[in-house]
Amino acid sequence: MIATLTEALAEWLRPPETLSLFRITLLLIFGSLVMYGGEWLTSTLLTRHASVHMGIIGRKVVVYLGGFLLLVSLLLELGFDLTGVLATAGIATVAIGFAAQTSLSNLISGLFLIGERPFEIGDLIKVSGTTGVVLSIDLLSIKLRTLDNLFIRIPNEEMIKSQVTNITRFPIRRMDLDIGVAYKEDPEHVISVLQSLAKANRFVLEEPEALVIFNQFGQSALEFRFCLWFEKSNFLALKNSIMIEIKKRFDAEGIEIPFPHMTLCSGSETGPFPLRILNPEPGEK
Amino acid sequence: MRNHLQFWTSRTLTEERIALCRIGPLNLWLRRDDQEWGVASERVDSRDLIDFANVPADVVPENLEWSYMGFRKAPHMFQLRPVVPDRPLVVKPARPLTIPRGESTSFCMAFPVWIEVVIGENAVIAIIPTELLSDTWFGNQEEGELAYATGIAAERYLKDIDLMPHYAVCEVETSNTAKDDLQFEKLCLRTQHIALYSGTRHLWSSPVKISYEGKMLTSAVSYDMGPPKGEEGLKLLAAAHRPAERALTRLTFNGSFTHDFKGKQR
């Protein structure tokens, strides 16, 4: 039975057109299998041993290269003469080069970004005033999702030229709060209160220790910088809780947070200018 | 409760009653009906209580947040088990402690345990900390790991620790085999290697041994598998999640920070 089938197949493939069609079909099927298999293998290996974005880049390189080789093989099998195409490619390359300067610049910038690895997929970064989570790092651009869920595409050339801040690169961060208190307050007492608040808040890391710095004598207030270390995922929890705790504790201790204000004097020997309201409302003096 | 061990025994809960289990600052409320178990918790100011009572439903505070687990037929037995916290613990000595070269010394530390609520054969419906511990970081600004600060300083003698019923006491033996004196700074305790035992008044953990061998390089921290010597007749309540081999060195070579024991030479 097998011999009969083989003979029938050989008879069917005898005409050159049929044979050619059969070879093209085989080329398509096996070529696609090899290409997608190679893509999966490359992506898996690079993701496991390098990083997610290297896996994505590797996958795209295999697909583009494999697709190009498959296309050339199909064209050759179909009988196209590619010599002429190659001859004109040289001239076309110059024209394309001029037209694709920006894309080439983005591509080369992308390769530098891949090599430097200033951030990875999933990192929260700030670039040119935009803050977002890195969704993908592609050959021509990176894609971000902002915290209010907008999609941003930034060309790699711009990334290379700009200052990029990777907010989540390190596992812990410091939150710096600028707090002003009235001039009448005792600075040592304020520092003691803030230090006790840092100790009591469970999101503030015990180490590295929190810092309270008496920064300067401001225009309207004594200005302190309250520096708190936290694990990077606890930003919101710490920000809200510590601000509320500061307010409550300052109210309980009678520590005034002053409004910006100014006192006018005509000279060092005089007191502040008095203020008198003309045509006061009933009840006002 | 006369004996600490009684708190950890199995009990029955009928459908009409609520179980109130108090240990340290944690009040644990349990209720059951035919097809579900409910658990709620609150923290109070008192810290030295350990008892259990079945109470009527009308004494339950109204502001409790209950969580429920469904069963085809809810088991009527339950048990509370102590478990170690889910992160490493960082401990510092109460006062600067220097260990001369060639010498060894021991000290005690304590940490609050977590409570595992087990229903029936082995269904865990809740794991609740008896105390909420503060976060701390064991490492430097670039790398390290998140841990808990116990807030309880390590002391040379157990009598100097203000023991509470929800604390587990850990005996730490330190030997300085280096050429110089050693000032002990802090210790990172790996809770996954620690077993818990019940004594008459509080819990105990398996002991820890530290061997300081020299400048910056290696500090061998090993976790014993047997019970501590601080009390006779201890009962094993919770085995270590991952028993460490005897005299296993916990080394990492990722930088100058990740040694579980930090001391400096004098």
Side-chain angles (χ1 to χ4, degrees):
Chain A
M1 185 178 169
I2 293 174
T4 314
L5 279 171
T6 311
E7 276 176 24
L9 188 63
E11 188 61 36
W12 180 66
L13 288 175
R14 188 161 294 155
E17 299 84 10
T18 315
L19 181 62
S20 183
L21 189 64
F22 182 69
R23 280 163 58 166
I24 288 168
T25 308
L26 278 182
L27 189 61
L28 263 176
I29 293 170
F30 285 109
S32 302
L33 283 173
V34 167
M35 190 174 71
Y36 288 115
E39 175 204 359
W40 173 81
L41 189 65
T42 307
S43 170
T44 307
L45 288 174
L46 282 176
T47 304
R48 192 178 299 164
H49 296 293
S51 65
V52 173
H53 82 256
M54 287 297 287
I56 293 171
I57 301 284
R59 197 180 78 217
K60 287 186 178 175
V61 166
V62 168
V63 167
Y64 292 147
L65 198 60
F68 175 74
L69 290 173
L70 189 60
L71 180 66
V72 166
S73 305
L74 282 172
L75 289 173
L76 286 172
E77 188 60 41
L78 284 168
F80 284 97
D81 180 11
L82 296 181
T83 316
V85 174
L86 290 172
T88 55
I91 302 165
T93 302
V94 176
I96 291 169
F98 278 111
Q101 275 181 76
T102 306
S103 298
L104 281 172
S105 173
N106 283 324
L107 182 68
I108 292 166
S109 301
L111 294 173
F112 280 119
L113 279 175
I114 290 165
E116 264 191 20
R117 296 174 66 175
F119 48 82
E120 293 180 352
I121 289 175
D123 280 345
L124 181 67
I125 65 171
K126 186 159 69 175
V127 55
S128 303
T130 299
T131 302
V133 176
V134 178
L135 292 177
S136 65
I137 304 170
D138 298 323
L139 287 170
L140 297 179
S141 64
I142 69 147
K143 277 82 171 180
L144 301 182
R145 181 177 62 80
T146 64
L147 297 176
D148 55 348
N149 228 27
L150 299 177
F151 180 84
I152 307 250
R153 177 188 178 277
I154 304 178
N156 287 337
E157 188 186 20
E158 194 179 317
M159 294 294 296
I160 284 286
K161 288 196 277 196
S162 308
Q163 177 178 297
V164 175
T165 304
N166 189 337
I167 295 168
T168 51
R169 173 62 162 256
F170 299 124
I172 58 174
R173 286 176 57 194
R174 198 178 79 180
M175 181 182 292
D176 293 343
L177 301 175
D178 289 317
I179 297 168
V181 300
Y183 265 84
K184 67 180 175 63
E185 305 299 344
D186 175 7
E188 287 175 341
H189 177 54
V190 172
I191 290 173
S192 166
V193 166
L194 291 174
Q195 283 173 340
S196 72
L197 284 173
K199 260 192 149 32
N201 188 302
R202 55 189 283 257
F203 299 113
V204 175
L205 298 176
E206 202 177 85
E207 284 190 3
E209 278 185 22
L211 281 175
V212 183
I213 305 169
F214 187 176
N215 237 3
Q216 61 174 342
F217 297 95
Q219 276 194 340
S220 307
L222 301 176
E223 292 175 7
F224 294 84
R225 176 153 287 186
F226 190 21
C227 307
L228 304 164
W229 287 93
F230 62 99
E231 196 275 327
K232 63 185 176 183
S233 63
N234 287 333
F235 176 80
L236 272 180
L238 174 61
K239 186 74 187 262
N240 281 334
S241 62
I242 199 69
M243 297 294 266
I244 292 169
E245 284 160 18
I246 289 171
K247 178 69 171 70
K248 281 186 178 172
R249 185 71 179 274
F250 276 16
D251 288 346
E253 300 275 344
I255 297 174
E256 181 189 338
I257 302 175
F259 292 104
H261 59 273
M262 196 178 291
T263 307
L264 289 174
C265 302
S266 67
S268 60
E269 298 298 319
T270 65
F273 284 145
L275 188 65
R276 188 161 58 100
I277 301 172
L278 297 176
N279 301 322
E281 294 291 323
E284 275 184 337
K285 289 190 180 174
Chain B
M1 191 162 278
R2 280 195 190 172
N3 193 327
H4 199 271
L5 191 54
Q6 287 179 331
F7 187 79
W8 310 107
T9 54
S10 291
R11 292 186 170 86
T12 304
L13 183 62
T14 58
E15 286 184 34
E16 305 81 27
R17 306 289 278 186
I18 310 281
L20 170 59
C21 313
R22 299 192 292 182
I23 179 166
L26 178 69
N27 282 1
L28 203 55
W29 302 83
L30 298 166
R31 71 196 316 163
R32 169 182 94 84
D33 68 19
D34 189 45
Q35 291 190 318
E36 69 180 15
W37 271 85
V39 60
S41 63
E42 59 177 349
R43 280 187 186 77
V44 297
D45 292 333
S46 63
R47 295 165 54 79
D48 56 359
L49 285 175
I50 177 167
D51 61 22
F52 165 82
N54 279 337
V55 299
D58 54 0
V59 307
V60 177
E62 284 181 3
N63 58 348
L64 290 178
E65 282 186 27
W66 288 86
S67 56
Y68 293 92
M69 186 166 285
F71 296 84
R72 194 176 306 151
K73 176 83 181 143
H76 57 271
M77 298 289 290
F78 76 95
Q79 186 181 9
L80 301 180
R81 289 189 201 147
V83 290
V84 291
D86 62 349
R87 284 189 215 151
L89 300 168
V90 175
V91 184
K92 293 182 188 174
R95 49 197 160 271
L97 175 71
T98 302
I99 305 168
R101 63 177 176 159
E103 284 292 334
S104 63
T105 188
S106 61
F107 54 90
C108 297
M109 52 159 291
F111 59 90
V113 297
W114 290 24
I115 304 293
E116 192 177 68
V117 182
V118 182
I119 304 300
E121 289 293 317
N122 227 7
V124 176
I125 64 169
I127 302 177
I128 302 168
T130 52
E131 266 187 45
L132 292 175
L133 297 176
S134 269
D135 290 349
T136 190
W137 188 251
F138 193 73
N140 60 34
Q141 277 83 338
E142 291 183 28
E143 51 185 359
E145 58 187 311
L146 197 56
Y148 289 123
T150 62
I152 307 163
E155 296 277 3
R156 289 276 289 120
Y157 306 104
L158 185 58
K159 62 179 175 59
D160 295 328
I161 298 180
D162 190 13
L163 287 173
M164 296 295 160
H166 60 295
Y167 286 176
V169 172
C170 182
E171 293 174 335
V172 182
E173 192 181 309
T174 309
S175 40
N176 179 10
T177 56
K179 292 179 187 160
D180 298 296
D181 294 348
L182 167 68
Q183 186 170 351
F184 168 43
E185 289 187 345
K186 60 183 165 186
L187 168 68
C188 178
L189 204 65
R190 302 281 162 185
T191 53
Q192 70 265 37
H193 300 314
I194 287 178
L196 292 175
Y197 299 83
S198 179
T200 47
R201 292 181 50 235
H202 56 80
L203 296 158
W204 291 85
S205 80
S206 41
V208 174
K209 288 193 173 77
I210 302 169
S211 172
Y212 182 76
E213 294 175 11
K215 187 180 174 183
M216 295 291 288
L217 292 177
T218 59
S219 301
V221 181
S222 62
Y223 296 81
D224 274 5
M225 290 199 283
K229 298 182 177 61
E231 196 176 323
E232 296 286 331
L234 295 175
K235 185 184 175 203
L236 176 67
L237 292 180
H241 292 148
R242 224 182 338 142
E245 297 168 18
R246 286 190 190 279
L248 175 69
T249 303
R250 169 122 180 107
L251 288 174
T252 53
F253 298 98
N254 251 352
S256 61
F257 80 91
T258 46
H259 301 287
D260 286 0
F261 172 72
K262 275 197 152 182
K264 66 183 174 200
Q265 289 183 306
R266 294 183 54 169

